[in-house]
Amino acid sequence: MKTIQMVDLVGQYEKIKPAVDEAILGVMGSAAFIKGPEVKSFQEELQAYLGVKHVIPCANGTDALQIALMALGLEPGDEVITSDFTFAATVEVIGLLRLTPVLIDVERDTFNMDIEALKKAITPNTKAIIPVHIFGQCSNMEGIMEIAKENNIAVVEDTAQAIGSKYTFSDGSVKSAGCIGDIGTTSFFPSKNLGCFGDGGALFTNNSELANRLEAIVNHGMKVRYYHDEIGVNSRLDSIQAAVLRIKLRHLDSYVAARQAAAKYYTDAFADVDGLETPTIGKNSTHVFHQYTLKTKGVDRNSLQTFLSEKKIPAMIYYPVALHNQKAYKRDGVSDADFPVTMDLCDCVISLPMHTELDNEQLEYITNSVKEFFNK
Ligand SMILES: *Cc1c(COP(=O)(O)O)cnc(C)c1O
């Protein structure tokens, strides 16, 4: 059996090696390393894939979030609401821009932003909401967009973990994750569902005015070369990364299918394990399984992790500490009691290996090992 890894990027590369190598060599031969034709082609192909008017590539997913907030023209002190149960990048950029982060609790089933908590968190100072589509499925976008419209608040979707996921509205219309709010952001970090061979990111929008603004901000605030209309940043996607992404984008649907098949194998195998709650797929969103995250019940999650580790099965805790309890983001007047679901999740979640290269032998070994722990 092949060694089990959380993510198998080498195995994935080996299957597309000739095409990827040729694409990279092509960029080297042309020396168009920055803003070359590969970047433009990738931009257009991703627009078509997502069904969105504008894709603006940038250097990474964290930059994408920062640039999105810069484009909305927020003022220091404006409140931005996001989820308490996520990777820190989202709240980090809010803080960097001297905006006020307002963290809210999540739904137990989907791990995504809780609508009732969102309603309670809105104040006259709320200027943006950043739903994070955690682990691979969309937040309740219909509910979030309704609340945002009523209160005239911008929505930035953090799609770093959910590219390729689709959301169905109650009128039957279907949209891609990241293309519903005012701006969507994503990351092409190597282990993401669409990952490059280094850092990369992008912004999505259907609003042409915002697209213009985003394009200027990623490029030092320039619309016309050497004329700086506003303060921007330098955030570019390299041509080599774009060339890799163009190849991988053609495989994204099959990569999603492979992740969904692995998830189904796990969920079927754990159906009768009392101590485990398998992931819920929300009724309005497809799940692209960036992570396969279980909730343990009545057992010590860390001893399960150790047991698996002894069997050479990696398992990770995403996320062990709620954002409101991180030293950098602690605020007066905020307490654990405001986040009962997040607090519980931080104690009980465990994510199993999830990637495009898991074979049945590995899946059988992983699921049997997990069951062995519960039958001890
Ligand atoms: C990975 C990730 C980011 C940051 O992306 P980088 O490309 O690493 O900067 C932001 N938000 C979420 C939810 C992520 O998972």
Side-chain angles (χ1 to χ4, degrees):
M1 186 173 62
K2 268 204 306 185
T3 307
I4 296 172
Q5 298 169 276
M6 277 310 280
V7 179
D8 180 4
L9 294 175
V10 173
Q12 191 188 59
Y13 166 57
E14 276 163 2
K15 291 188 180 157
I16 54 171
K17 185 175 184 321
V20 168
D21 291 3
E22 192 191 323
I24 292 175
L25 287 171
V27 175
M28 304 218 299
S30 75
F33 296 118
I34 301 290
K35 289 195 182 147
E38 292 289 338
V39 179
K40 181 131 206 305
S41 299
F42 172 61
Q43 192 176 355
E44 290 165 2
E45 287 159 10
L46 188 57
Q47 277 164 201
Y49 178 86
L50 296 171
V52 71
K53 281 200 193 126
H54 308 276
V55 165
I56 296 102
C58 67
N60 58 68
T62 309
D63 272 10
L65 287 162
Q66 179 183 330
I67 293 158
L69 291 177
M70 288 170 78
L72 294 174
L74 307 185
E75 305 281 338
D78 285 350
E79 291 171 10
V80 180
I81 300 176
T82 194
S83 163
D84 192 39
F85 184 70
T86 179
F87 181 58
T90 329
V91 67
E92 181 177 49
V93 299
I94 299 170
L96 265 177
L97 294 173
R98 296 281 177 258
L99 306 169
T100 303
V102 176
L103 297 168
I104 60 171
D105 208 3
V106 296
E107 301 174 342
R108 204 185 139 76
D109 282 358
T110 64
F111 310 104
N112 277 325
M113 177 177 277
D114 182 87
I115 288 290
E116 294 310 313
L118 174 61
K119 285 183 189 157
K120 282 194 206 123
I122 305 267
T123 76
N125 295 327
T126 309
K127 294 293 153 60
I129 306 168
I130 310 184
V132 182
H133 304 319
I134 205 80
F135 301 151
Q137 66 181 329
C138 293
S139 311
N140 176 348
M141 287 310 292
E142 184 145 356
I144 292 169
M145 293 311 290
E146 258 171 42
I147 294 168
K149 274 205 188 93
E150 264 166 39
N151 297 280
N152 197 23
I153 299 169
V155 175
V156 175
E157 299 170 73
D158 183 344
T159 317
Q161 301 190 4
I163 196 160
S165 171
K166 297 264 192 295
Y167 186 87
T168 306
F169 286 83
S170 50
D171 67 2
S173 63
V174 179
K175 287 190 179 163
S176 298
C179 308
I180 302 165
D182 298 274
I183 303 174
T185 67
T186 202
S187 163
F188 304 123
F189 185 81
S191 63
K192 302 281 155 124
N193 286 27
L194 178 62
C196 59
F197 289 5
D199 276 309
L203 296 121
F204 320 136
T205 185
N206 283 307
N207 177 326
S208 301
E209 222 170 287
L210 274 176
N212 280 339
R213 189 115 200 248
L214 293 168
E215 264 156 17
I217 294 171
V218 298
N219 188 26
H220 301 290
M222 291 192 284
K223 285 192 181 114
V224 178
R225 204 163 195 190
Y226 304 127
Y227 290 80
H228 304 269
D229 298 343
E230 62 187 317
I231 295 177
V233 295
N234 172 25
S235 188
R236 295 185 283 241
L237 180 71
D238 291 356
S239 300
I240 288 182
Q241 302 307 340
V244 172
L245 287 165
R246 286 187 69 200
I247 308 286
K248 290 184 70 173
L249 180 59
R250 292 170 206 157
H251 297 276
L252 183 55
D253 286 340
S254 71
Y255 289 162
V256 167
R259 288 172 178 276
Q260 289 170 336
K264 184 172 184 319
Y265 191 109
Y266 282 142
T267 292
D268 289 349
F270 300 143
D272 51 3
V273 178
D274 272 344
L276 284 179
E277 202 178 311
T278 54
T280 308
I281 304 177
K283 62 184 189 331
N284 294 94
S285 178
T286 63
H287 199 322
V288 297
F289 286 100
H290 177 60
Q291 299 297 344
Y292 183 87
T293 303
L294 293 161
K295 291 183 275 256
T296 56
K297 290 181 285 192
V299 295
D300 174 22
R301 179 252 328 253
N302 296 349
S303 61
L304 170 61
Q305 191 180 23
T306 308
F307 180 83
L308 293 175
S309 155
E310 279 161 8
K311 293 185 167 293
K312 303 258 182 301
I313 300 170
M316 298 287 285
I317 310 305
Y318 304 119
Y319 296 92
V321 181
L323 285 182
H324 77 270
N325 277 333
Q326 298 285 354
K327 206 168 150 195
Y329 304 113
K330 271 190 189 290
R331 288 181 67 202
D332 291 341
V334 170
S335 80
D336 290 352
D338 300 324
F339 308 94
V341 179
T342 298
M343 290 307 294
D344 181 38
L345 292 177
C346 289
D347 287 339
C348 79
V349 289
I350 184 163
S351 297
L352 295 182
M354 174 50 74
H355 54 78
T356 57
E357 310 305 311
L358 284 164
D359 60 35
N360 277 1
E361 190 187 7
Q362 292 174 315
L363 288 166
E364 192 182 346
Y365 177 72
I366 297 167
T367 50
N368 283 343
S369 301
V370 170
K371 285 188 196 169
E372 194 186 321
F373 173 84
F374 284 94
N375 292 332
K376 268 190 308 177

